[in-house]
Amino acid sequence: MLEIKNVVASINGVKILKGTSLTIKPGEVHAVMGPNGSGKSTLSKLVSGHPDVEIESGDILFNGESILDDDPDIRALKGVFMAFQYPVEVPGVQNGSFLRMAYNAKRKYKGLDEVDPMDFEELIQEKLKWVGMNESFLDRPLNQGFSGGEKKRNEILQLAVLEPMLSILDETDSGLDIDALRTVSEAVNRMITKERSFLVITHYQRLLNHIVPDVVHIFSEGKIIKTGDKTLALEVEEKGYDWLLQPVS
Amino acid sequence: MKNESVLSKKKIQEMADTSYKYGFKTDIESETAPKGLSEEVIRMISKKKNEPEFMLKFRLKALKHLSKMTEPEWSNLKYPKVDLQDISYYSEPKVKKKLDSLDDVDPEILRTFEKLGIPLTEQKKLANVAVDAIFDSVSVATTFKDKLLKVGVIFCPFSEALEKYPDIVKKYLGTVVPHTDNYFACVNAAAFTEGSFVYIPKDTLCPMELSTYFRINTEETGQFERTLIVCEDNSYVSYLEGCTAPQFDTNQLHAAVVELVALDNAEIKYSTVQNWYAGDPVTGKGGIYNFVTKRGKCQGKKSKISWTQIETGSAITWKYPGCVLIGEGSIGEFYSVALTTHNQQADTGTKMIHIGKNTKSTIISKGISAGKSQNTYRGLVQMNKSAKGADNFTQCDSMLIGDKCGAHTFPYIDVRNASSTLGHEAATVKVTDEQLFYFQQRGISAEDALTTIVNGFCKDVFKKLPTEFAVEATQLLGLRLEESVG
Ligand SMILES: Nc1ncnc2c1ncn2[C@@H]1O[C@H](COP(=O)(O)OP(=O)(O)O)[C@@H](O)[C@H]1O
Ligand SMILES: [Mg+2]
């Protein structure tokens, strides 16, 4: 599904990713854990094509093809989705019509007819329940004045509606209380199939109790420094990151 | 290697290079007056149009006054002074004067209208929009006249009104915008050649929206239209004005005057979508100078005048549609979207003059600046001593796209009594790369994202437009933004 091949990349001339490699197969759930500032968000921006990220070397393959030359909207249409760590507020644009616009963009890309507002409303009822939101939520301006938790639920609602092949969750757990964390995790779990892949970025282990990863990577200073199974996350939880960060002698 | 994405330089250039969609010029022989403004030229215009004596006097009085006036310096605009002697004041396409049906119209002209999407063909007539189409200075086709005449509504070219209804014209002409009002209004009073006239009799709701499309076609011909709309007691009209212009190399002056009069309980809704050629995207050369004086007089009790404008074109826009609220409890409204891109300059806003008791005004202005453009809101709210209990609400918001453009706000408030109330809100927002990226990450192109964000910003104004106009305006904004992103 996704192959990041030895990528070196910088933001504003500062090297952030220093040789990152990562391969995710269809149906796999990978977790990336690491200290703040280690470059986790930069990694998700790299894959989704954020213009701030300048790639110096390496390649990213999605379904076997390089996506480096694709604009972010093309990558999204091909099936890359990122739940933002900090979803941006867009005054004046209705949450529901934004969601429908994104949904229709995808349908159009697939050569399908666009869906009108009434059919769309019907179609998303179930997904709204998944994330524990009611319909009035759709009438509000996009992310504007949303609480931290509401913003994250909204990201997952978008994920559930757009049904991407690859979902990157960038610290979706931060800002969520226990109940919201459970709701959101359950929604994500419903989305997991044999075909879809997930890259779950988190600072804390607790999310991984709910969304259980197949593979766990520890990220530090722009690189994956250790890879293991879900027990690695528990180990980090117990000992912190420091023991891993010691230079190997 | 960089992720080429949100509005990359290359793409911006591509979009900017999309040439003006309506930038073509119809090839018809025109009969054009020699350049310059003089008593001789004015007498010629008046004679050519077979005008009544009072009209010639009105023009000559204005011409005399003009010699005492100089171009205003106070607006926030920069442009070379307009040389009135370098303009031709009259031009008419060579077509037969009296036309019974569309078949008699020069096919070349019809093709131009078609390109502009003007609903003049038989099938489009069914759209229930009456069209008084102005091609240069002479009206060539008018539709729906019969249906309107049945209920007593008069909707015709100004010259026809002078011929058929001189008394009504004489009674109201210049009563809202006198020739002494300002420099450009004075030029217009002296030299206007065509325009529209609307008269809604007592107790009549105009059965359809009235629409006029303006076009400037002959190079170096300034166009001076004059529109007069009179609504008698308990009557209503909704009037739509829309225009586009072809691409030229020399700047074109446009100095229209619009006068509205609403008597007791009458309501006039005046909507404009303006998309004149803004000039070469890089040099700014060749765009239209749009210096317009629009004013409505709420003369009657509980009368109401609403101005709604979508301003997207012109090299320079100088325009303050206003209301003089005389009748007790009368209402004035101003809803405006002004989009400037590239090198465009707009200085626009409104004047609400409260004279009568319990008069009320609402101002909602949305200015959007992109490219290297400058967008100024200038608004006056004046509450005279007599305007007891008057009320105004003003909201003027600015949106910036990119960081080379400017937004300026000059609200003037002049309150001369203690019982009036005023509310004012203002905000400036910036379209950020993060917002555009957010849309793109959900599969929506940067262009669509920008259009959506801008339309969202403007929706309070769009919803004041008649439905079909709102759709047109939304599309127009999208088109203009596409040409200009960056
Ligand atoms: N726009 C930016 N300009 C400059 N530095 C940035 C920018 N974005 C991120 N960084 C820097 O890149 C490093 C990695 O950031 P980030 O990927 O957000 O880390 P994480 O998500 O792991 O906390 C940090 O040192 C951060 O300060
Ligand atoms: Mg982060």
Side-chain angles (χ1 to χ4, degrees):
Chain A
M1 172 84 48
L2 178 72
E3 241 180 295
I4 302 174
K5 293 166 95 173
N6 202 19
V7 167
V8 176
S10 56
I11 291 181
N12 282 338
V14 182
K15 206 171 277 184
I16 312 285
L17 301 179
K18 300 164 184 167
T20 306
S21 294
L22 176 65
T23 301
I24 304 178
K25 296 203 177 77
E28 284 182 350
V29 177
H30 286 229
V32 166
M33 300 179 73
N36 281 329
S38 57
K40 302 186 299 295
S41 289
T42 306
L43 178 68
S44 60
K45 286 179 184 173
L46 168 81
V47 178
S48 54
H50 195 287
D52 282 354
V53 180
E54 278 184 60
I55 300 165
E56 283 160 32
S57 62
D59 202 354
I60 309 168
L61 307 185
F62 186 67
N63 290 328
E65 278 174 32
S66 174
I67 51 169
L68 284 189
D69 289 337
D70 290 335
D71 280 353
D73 45 328
I74 302 302
R75 297 187 197 195
L77 293 170
K78 283 183 173 174
V80 176
F81 179 96
M82 167 167 86
F84 286 71
Q85 182 174 3
Y86 304 109
V88 65
E89 303 196 355
V90 189
V93 175
Q94 220 185 24
N95 194 28
S97 41
F98 173 76
L99 190 56
R100 191 167 66 89
M101 195 186 298
Y103 184 74
N104 278 333
K106 194 141 201 178
R107 286 189 59 98
K108 205 172 152 199
Y109 182 75
K110 288 184 184 160
L112 300 169
D113 284 344
E114 297 192 1
V115 170
D116 68 38
M118 267 157 68
D119 290 344
F120 185 68
E121 203 181 300
E122 215 172 289
L123 175 147
I124 61 169
Q125 288 307 321
E126 195 193 340
K127 307 281 168 83
L128 274 170
K129 278 187 210 128
W130 285 11
V131 293
M133 301 195 318
N134 69 45
E135 240 173 290
S136 66
F137 208 75
L138 300 173
D139 297 332
R140 292 166 62 180
L142 179 54
N143 292 324
Q144 198 189 17
F146 285 20
S147 69
E150 285 172 331
K151 281 183 182 162
K152 296 304 175 72
R153 284 174 199 260
N154 202 36
E155 293 293 292
I156 301 309
L157 174 68
Q158 291 171 6
L159 189 159
V161 170
L162 297 176
E163 304 181 331
M165 292 314 294
L166 170 69
S167 305
I168 305 167
L169 311 185
D170 191 0
E171 300 213 21
T172 296
D173 51 337
S174 65
L176 291 182
D177 59 31
I178 291 294
D179 292 334
L181 181 69
R182 186 174 301 124
T183 311
V184 160
S185 304
E186 274 169 19
V188 172
N189 284 332
R190 285 174 198 258
M191 294 298 296
I192 297 175
T193 64
K194 279 204 189 78
E195 288 80 37
R196 295 190 192 129
S197 310
F198 289 79
L199 177 59
V200 182
I201 294 172
T202 180
H203 186 67
Y204 301 105
Q205 190 272 336
R206 64 171 191 166
L207 174 68
L208 304 181
N209 291 332
H210 300 276
I211 305 171
V212 182
D214 301 306
V215 186
V216 174
H217 309 277
I218 307 301
F219 205 74
S220 170
E221 296 192 22
K223 267 188 181 159
I224 288 169
I225 54 164
K226 195 171 173 63
T227 296
D229 62 13
K230 63 182 176 188
T231 56
L232 179 59
L234 292 167
E235 214 172 333
V236 167
E237 172 83 345
E238 205 174 297
K239 302 190 202 163
Y241 288 107
D242 287 351
W243 65 281
L244 284 163
L245 305 182
Q246 303 303 323
V248 208
S249 52
Chain B
M1 179 175 14
K2 189 174 165 130
N3 277 347
E4 280 283 341
S5 54
V6 183
L7 307 179
S8 67
K9 288 268 150 48
K10 206 173 80 210
K11 203 169 192 187
I12 294 164
Q13 202 44 51
E14 255 169 49
M15 292 193 279
D17 289 346
T18 315
S19 63
Y20 184 68
K21 192 182 161 201
Y22 299 140
F24 49 81
K25 179 182 161 192
T26 311
D27 193 13
I28 305 170
E29 278 180 80
S30 288
E31 197 178 302
T32 303
K35 286 177 178 180
L37 190 55
S38 64
E39 187 170 331
E40 202 188 335
V41 166
I42 282 171
R43 283 185 186 279
M44 175 208 134
I45 293 172
S46 198
K47 194 167 172 207
K48 248 189 154 6
K49 299 183 85 67
N50 233 337
E51 288 179 351
E53 185 64 21
F54 83 89
M55 198 59 248
L56 178 64
K57 276 192 181 148
F58 180 91
R59 292 177 183 281
L60 291 175
K61 207 156 83 185
L63 181 71
K64 204 169 158 203
H65 187 77
L66 188 64
S67 61
K68 291 180 239 158
M69 295 185 105
T70 48
E71 242 186 286
E73 304 269 3
W74 49 267
S75 76
N76 205 29
L77 308 169
K78 292 184 182 62
Y79 63 95
K81 284 277 167 290
V82 180
D83 181 359
L84 292 180
Q85 298 308 332
D86 199 35
I87 294 169
S88 164
Y89 288 83
Y90 187 73
S91 135
E92 62 177 313
K94 279 183 179 165
V95 287
K96 280 178 265 172
K97 280 274 160 62
K98 298 278 175 207
L99 300 172
D100 299 324
S101 85
L102 287 174
D103 301 339
D104 298 340
V105 178
D106 188 324
E108 189 76 16
I109 292 178
L110 287 181
R111 262 195 295 279
T112 303
F113 284 141
E114 208 129 325
K115 273 193 238 174
L116 290 170
I118 295 173
L120 253 189
T121 55
E122 283 298 321
Q123 99 205 38
K124 283 172 187 163
K125 254 196 208 175
L126 298 170
N128 207 30
V129 177
V131 177
D132 170 23
I134 290 188
F135 191 87
D136 265 16
S137 311
V138 173
S139 286
V140 289
T142 302
T143 53
F144 285 107
K145 223 180 248 176
D146 296 345
K147 191 173 169 189
L148 292 173
L149 271 177
K150 228 171 259 171
V151 290
V153 170
I154 302 168
F155 175 37
C156 67
F158 210 101
S159 47
E160 192 181 319
L162 277 171
E163 206 176 296
K164 293 189 181 159
Y165 320 99
D167 295 344
I168 312 178
V169 176
K170 194 176 173 186
K171 185 170 174 191
Y172 292 103
L173 183 71
T175 61
V176 187
V177 181
H179 67 272
T180 50
D181 190 81
N182 68 71
Y183 182 77
F184 297 110
C186 195
V187 175
N188 180 289
F192 79 91
T193 46
E194 198 45 283
S196 293
F197 175 74
V198 175
Y199 177 79
I200 316 288
K202 233 174 144 164
D203 305 322
T204 305
L205 307 182
C206 185
M208 65 187 73
E209 262 139 12
L210 305 181
S211 161
T212 300
Y213 285 81
F214 294 91
R215 280 217 53 201
I216 299 177
N217 191 260
T218 307
E219 197 162 355
E220 284 185 70
T221 301
Q223 215 182 7
F224 305 90
E225 294 109 14
R226 186 136 194 144
T227 295
L228 175 61
I229 300 176
V230 179
C231 252
E232 294 275 5
D233 294 354
N234 310 313
S235 62
Y236 168 83
V237 69
S238 168
Y239 187 87
L240 319 180
E241 173 205 313
C243 35
T244 61
Q247 189 163 348
F248 286 136
D249 265 336
T250 42
N251 284 306
Q252 291 184 300
L253 173 65
H254 181 84
V257 168
V258 176
E259 298 182 282
L260 313 181
V261 180
L263 302 181
D264 285 358
N265 283 309
E267 179 177 350
I268 302 174
K269 225 172 119 72
Y270 193 107
S271 313
T272 309
V273 170
Q274 188 265 112
N275 179 29
W276 277 336
Y277 181 53
D280 183 274
V282 181
T283 62
K285 222 181 145 194
I288 304 288
Y289 289 4
N290 189 26
F291 300 140
V292 185
T293 307
K294 288 181 165 174
R295 195 170 305 145
K297 187 153 84 171
C298 283
Q299 195 167 304
K301 288 193 303 257
K302 296 205 165 139
S303 56
K304 180 175 172 183
I305 290 178
S306 304
W307 297 102
T308 305
Q309 61 172 25
I310 312 297
E311 299 286 325
T312 72
S314 298
I316 296 175
T317 301
W318 180 94
K319 184 179 174 191
Y320 317 91
C323 297
V324 184
L325 305 168
I326 298 169
E328 197 176 323
S330 60
I331 296 172
E333 294 175 336
F334 175 74
Y335 304 106
S336 171
V337 166
L339 168 70
T340 53
T341 65
H342 299 301
N343 294 297
Q344 279 180 285
Q345 304 174 56
D347 196 305
T348 182
T350 185
K351 288 181 192 172
M352 293 292 177
I353 313 293
H354 293 254
I355 294 169
K357 270 189 225 156
N358 300 319
T359 47
K360 199 175 165 213
S361 62
T362 303
I363 299 170
I364 295 180
S365 162
K366 305 276 179 177
I368 305 141
S369 336
K372 287 185 266 175
S373 68
Q374 297 296 325
N375 202 322
T376 300
Y377 168 82
R378 190 186 300 277
L380 168 69
V381 176
Q382 182 181 317
M383 288 168 170
N384 288 3
K385 218 167 174 172
S386 53
K388 302 249 168 11
D391 177 65
N392 163 265
F393 173 75
T394 298
Q395 182 182 343
C396 53
D397 298 334
S398 308
M399 177 176 262
L400 299 170
I401 302 169
D403 44 25
K404 292 196 184 73
C405 53
H408 318 272
T409 308
F410 300 105
Y412 303 94
I413 293 166
D414 177 3
V415 179
R416 303 174 195 171
N417 76 71
S419 60
S420 291
T421 49
L422 283 139
H424 189 95
E425 283 174 19
T428 300
V429 295
K430 218 174 135 67
V431 179
T432 64
D433 287 350
E434 285 309 312
Q435 288 174 329
L436 297 179
F437 178 69
Y438 190 80
F439 276 71
Q440 285 189 291
Q441 213 306 301
R442 298 301 183 249
I444 300 160
S445 71
E447 294 87 343
D448 287 350
L450 188 61
T451 304
T452 305
I453 292 170
V454 171
N455 278 327
F457 177 71
C458 301
K459 70 179 166 211
D460 288 347
V461 174
F462 283 166
K463 68 186 180 208
K464 299 292 174 186
L465 287 170
T467 325
E468 69 273 28
F469 232 34
V471 173
E472 225 175 87
T474 309
Q475 286 165 347
L476 178 60
L477 227 57
L479 186 77
R480 300 283 292 123
L481 282 166
E482 248 174 62
E483 293 169 359
S484 73
V485 182

